[in-house]
Amino acid sequence: MKMINDVFMIDIPEFDAGEEDIFGDPIEYIKEHPDDKRVLNVIKQNPCWSYMYANEVIKGKWPEGEEIIKQDPRLAFRYAHNMINGRWPEAEDTIKQDPKWAYYYAYNVIKGRWPEAEDTIKQNPEQAYDYARYVVKGRWPEGEEAIKQSPKRACLYAYNVIKGRWPVAEDTIKKDPLWAYQYAHNVIKGRWPEAEETITQSPKWWRKYERKFL
C-alpha cells in the first residue's frame, strides 16, 4: 500500500497555489491530468496560465479564468482577440491603462477609434503614431506632442501622415543621424543644412547624404 501511495503522489502531487513548482509546467500537467481540480485551482489564480489554459487546452472561452485574465492588459487584449473574437467590455478599463495594448485593442478588436483610451494612447510616441496612421488614418493633433518627442516616429509621421515637412518636430528629428538623413531624403528631398552637423556624426549616413546631395 505504501508503494501505491508513493506512486500516486508522484502522478498527482499535493500542492497549493504557492507551490506551483512541485508539478512543473501546469499547462503541460493539466493536459495529461485533465480532471485534477487542484491544478485548475492553481491555474486560475495566475493570469498567464489562465490565458494559456483557455488558448491551448480549451481552445476557447474559459469563464472561470476571466476574472484574473482581465487584470492584465496584454492578456486581456489577447483573450478578447483570440478567444472572444470581439470586444470584452468587462476588461476594457484594464486594457485602456496601457498605451500599447489599448492601441492593439482599438486596431484589432474595435477596428476603429476608441475615444475612452485615447488619453492613454497619446502618451506614448510609438502608439500615438500607430494610432494616427492605422486607426485615425490621418493627422491626430492630440497625439502630436508625444510623437514629436521621438526622432523616428516624428520622421515617419511627417512622411506617412502629414506627407510633407513638419517644422515643429524638426529640432527633434535632427538630433538623430539616421532619421535626420531619412527626413532629408524622403521628406525634404534635398539638403537639410540645419541637420548636417548631426548627420556627420555617423560615417554611414554622412556618406549617403554626401552622395545624394553634395
Side-chain angles (χ1 to χ4, degrees):
M1 182 63 68
K2 184 176 186 300
M3 183 178 294
I4 293 174
N5 285 340
D6 287 343
V7 173
F8 178 80
M9 292 301 292
I10 292 171
D11 287 342
I12 307 178
E14 294 290 347
F15 54 81
D16 58 36
E19 298 177 323
E20 300 91 344
D21 59 330
I22 291 176
F23 58 91
D25 185 334
I27 303 304
E28 293 304 316
Y29 186 92
I30 200 65
K31 289 176 182 177
E32 298 177 6
H33 306 87
D35 297 322
D36 192 332
K37 296 187 183 302
R38 290 168 298 174
V39 184
L40 281 176
N41 286 335
V42 172
I43 288 172
K44 68 184 181 182
Q45 294 179 54
N46 181 292
C48 185
W49 287 342
S50 292
Y51 172 77
M52 291 173 65
Y53 181 73
N55 186 50
E56 297 181 21
V57 180
I58 295 179
K59 302 185 187 302
K61 292 175 64 176
W62 186 39
E64 294 93 327
E66 290 180 358
E67 186 60 36
I68 195 160
I69 292 170
K70 75 179 185 182
Q71 296 175 24
D72 184 296
R74 173 178 64 95
L75 298 171
F77 156 71
R78 290 183 173 174
Y79 190 83
H81 184 250
N82 298 325
M83 304 296 108
I84 296 175
N85 297 312
R87 292 187 73 159
W88 188 16
E90 296 85 351
E92 290 182 357
D93 280 347
T94 297
I95 297 168
K96 73 181 182 182
Q97 300 306 314
D98 186 289
K100 178 178 180 178
W101 302 109
Y103 160 69
Y104 282 147
Y105 191 79
Y107 180 74
N108 293 289
V109 178
I110 296 175
K111 302 185 187 300
R113 292 186 70 160
W114 189 16
E116 296 85 349
E118 289 182 356
D119 280 347
T120 299
I121 296 169
K122 74 181 184 181
Q123 302 301 321
N124 182 284
E126 180 177 355
Q127 274 70 60
Y129 164 74
D130 288 342
Y131 192 79
R133 185 177 182 192
Y134 300 112
V135 178
V136 177
K137 298 182 179 179
R139 289 193 71 162
W140 185 37
E142 297 88 341
E144 290 182 357
E145 186 60 36
I147 295 168
K148 73 179 184 180
Q149 304 306 314
S150 164
K152 177 179 180 179
R153 301 301 165 183
C155 180
L156 292 173
Y157 190 77
Y159 179 70
N160 291 308
V161 179
I162 296 175
K163 302 187 185 303
R165 292 186 72 158
W166 191 19
V168 297
E170 289 182 356
D171 280 347
T172 297
I173 297 168
K174 73 182 183 182
K175 292 177 181 178
D176 184 288
L178 163 59
W179 296 105
Y181 167 77
Q182 294 292 347
Y183 191 78
H185 178 60
N186 294 297
V187 179
I188 297 175
K189 301 183 188 300
R191 285 190 67 177
W192 188 18
E194 297 87 347
E196 289 177 358
E197 183 177 351
T198 297
I199 300 172
T200 61
Q201 296 171 15
S202 167
K204 174 182 177 180
W205 297 111
W206 181 246
R207 284 196 301 271
K208 289 178 178 289
Y209 187 87
E210 276 190 310
R211 287 198 297 267
K212 187 76 178 177
F213 302 119
L214 300 181

